[in-house]
Amino acid sequence: MNNKDLQTIVAWAKRRGFVYPGSSIYGGLANAWDLWPYGTILRKNIIDLWWKEFIQKRPDIIPLDAAILMNPKVWEASGHVENFNDPMIDDKNTWERFRVDKLIEAKIEELRQQLTDEQILEKINKEFWVTNLIPESWSFDQMKAFIEKYIPNNPNTWKPANWTDVRKFNLMFKTHQGVIEDESTVVYLRPETAQWIFVNFKNILDTMRVKLPFGIAQIWKAFRNEITPGNFLYRVREFEQMEIEYFVEPEKDEEYFEKWKKWSWNWWTKTIWIKEENLRFRDHEPDELSHYSKWTTDIEYYFPWWWWELQGIARRTDYDLRQHMKHSGQDLQYSDPKTWKRFIPWVIEPSWGLTRAIFTTMLDAYDEEQYTDPKWRTQTRVVARFHKNVAPIKFAILPLLEKNEDMVNLAQNIFKELSQDYMVELDIKGNIWKRYRRQDEIWTPYCITIDYQTLEDWTVTIRDRDTMQQQRIKIEEIKKFM
Ligand code: GAP
């Protein structure tokens, strides 16, 4: 299972150029992170693998790329202005604000050190009448009662807290469009990519000649003013999603929901190769469901702290299209081309967190192992066991001696050739073993070394990252290794 230490992963991600704190020369901006070169390539690889699986290989799914800012009426109709809230609580002594369900989850996690889940539930069921260990689904009164009893101190100061009641906090970022800042110019940064798809459903029907079942896919930014961001890239205020709204006949809702569970699971386990034992499905409790969903199943990952959500798969029914019909006055029904029956399609929504996928891929891959170096000393090497599909760099080209012009020229020519098809790195300087170590840390599948023999017979050594074994091959055979 997953007992990796988060601080180690964050330090490695910084050291090896994957992720770095944002605005760092100004002391950073809380919970804002930037992707650095390898993180940027990793993100692109994940997107490409998702795109290939769900857009390129699927005649029934089309892509689009919509504007972030939309008419604010969209968010009134979708229910986000009214319902997109998290429960918050303030400590009146310090006026610090906390997300209540996360405070409670942390406490439950602490109780798990001494009690089983059944014992915890039995105890708090007697005290607060709760029937599960998912605080998101509890009533505000139950949350407050739990906090009063089990979390008397402010978790930051450790001094007794003076808690307010539990209240709702809307997560949408508000801003203003144009030069006047009043209520009439309010716009929201979208909290999910999905709504544009519903708003443009009729345009898509009219222009794209689509037939049920079909999906519309979108990748990119979403924003949420999270009360308690944290855990590195897990919960941030600016993040990316890869979402599909898949439209079906109402009676096929369950059938396609099951299919999307399977397709999603396969993508995580067989396309980007997250370890299956670190993944599970979890159905939402009825009180935990988002306002638009009739049923949601999450794919969860076993993070160093607990099982938490990676992807949601929701049965959104006809909720969104019906709401937009009501608020816009437009007809968003679909006409069956055979029967001419008109109806509002239902929607299955698999929604992947791209930012969480980047984090999880790094977390799942990170490892440390013992090996014996050429001088028979035992060493620890950091290895990020990315699958070849996902690894940021596919080949590293290492001329043995920086000062040997022939070796460096040849390395540059091999770079030119391989970089037509792959991300390749040319690493010229330094001790060859240190260069290998650097590539192991980012899990480059193959290191190609150009040495004296290369100049004589046009062979190179190719080193496999897993076995650290090297073999000599002809230059023209390199591509076969991929
Ligand atoms: N359109 C449906 C929707 O947005 P969601 O479960 O709220 O559903 C979908 O979000 C996915 O977006 C989540 O499974 C998660 O991976 C990602 N996500 C949500 N909030 C996030 C945050 N604050 N930081 C990073 N990723 C987030």
Side-chain angles (χ1 to χ4, degrees), residues 17-19 34-45 358 392:
F18 280 83
V19 180
D34 298 330
L35 294 185
W36 274 37
Y38 295 130
T40 307
I41 305 168
L42 178 62
R43 169 185 175 275
K44 182 177 178 304
N45 291 351
I358 295 169

Side-chain angles (χ1 to χ4, degrees), residues 11 25 29 39 65 71 76 78 102 104 154 157 163 207 219 240 281 299 309 316 353 377 407 434 448 475 478:
I25 65 163
L29 172 70
D65 194 5
N71 190 314
E76 281 163 29
S78 69
K102 295 295 155 200
I104 300 174
N154 176 315
T157 61
W163 296 119
T207 55
I219 305 173
E240 292 186 289
F281 284 116
I299 295 186
E309 175 186 351
R316 284 181 90 127
R377 291 172 303 201
M407 285 184 197
K434 286 199 180 141
I448 296 162
I475 291 178
I478 296 174

Side-chain angles (χ1 to χ4, degrees), residues 95-132:
W95 290 111
E96 281 168 288
R97 182 160 288 176
F98 300 91
R99 187 166 153 187
V100 182
D101 51 330
K102 295 295 155 200
L103 279 187
I104 300 174
E105 272 176 17
K107 186 69 203 179
I108 292 176
E109 196 40 37
E110 212 180 294
L111 295 174
R112 283 195 172 105
Q113 312 293 323
Q114 289 135 24
L115 303 171
T116 64
D117 278 15
E118 290 71 32
Q119 288 167 328
I120 299 172
L121 190 55
E122 197 187 326
K123 186 173 161 64
I124 61 176
N125 173 273
K126 276 193 201 131
E127 292 167 338
F128 318 116
W129 300 94
V130 296
T131 52
N132 60 55

Side-chain angles (χ1 to χ4, degrees), residues 201-226:
F201 182 71
K202 184 170 167 4
N203 291 342
I204 289 164
L205 283 186
D206 291 346
T207 55
M208 300 307 298
R209 299 168 61 223
V210 281
K211 274 202 230 126
L212 291 186
F214 71 90
I216 304 174
Q218 185 169 202
I219 305 173
W220 212 33
K221 297 260 173 183
F223 303 83
R224 294 182 191 176
N225 198 4
E226 299 282 359

Side-chain angles (χ1 to χ4, degrees), residues 376-435:
W376 298 101
R377 291 172 303 201
T378 304
Q379 305 264 7
T380 303
R381 69 169 186 159
V382 171
V383 286
R385 299 184 189 285
F386 293 119
H387 187 267
K388 279 181 208 170
N389 289 352
V390 174
I393 302 294
K394 311 297 185 202
F395 291 102
I397 306 168
L398 319 173
L400 188 64
L401 296 174
E402 186 198 350
K403 292 207 175 104
N404 186 312
E405 249 181 57
D406 291 338
M407 285 184 197
V408 172
N409 285 342
L410 189 51
Q412 280 165 343
N413 286 339
I414 296 176
F415 175 89
K416 265 191 214 148
E417 173 63 26
L418 289 180
S419 60
Q420 303 287 329
D421 299 311
Y422 302 107
M423 281 306 293
V424 185
E425 200 164 84
L426 188 57
D427 189 359
I428 293 176
K429 273 195 188 143
N431 171 300
I432 192 76
W433 293 105
K434 286 199 180 141
R435 282 187 271 165

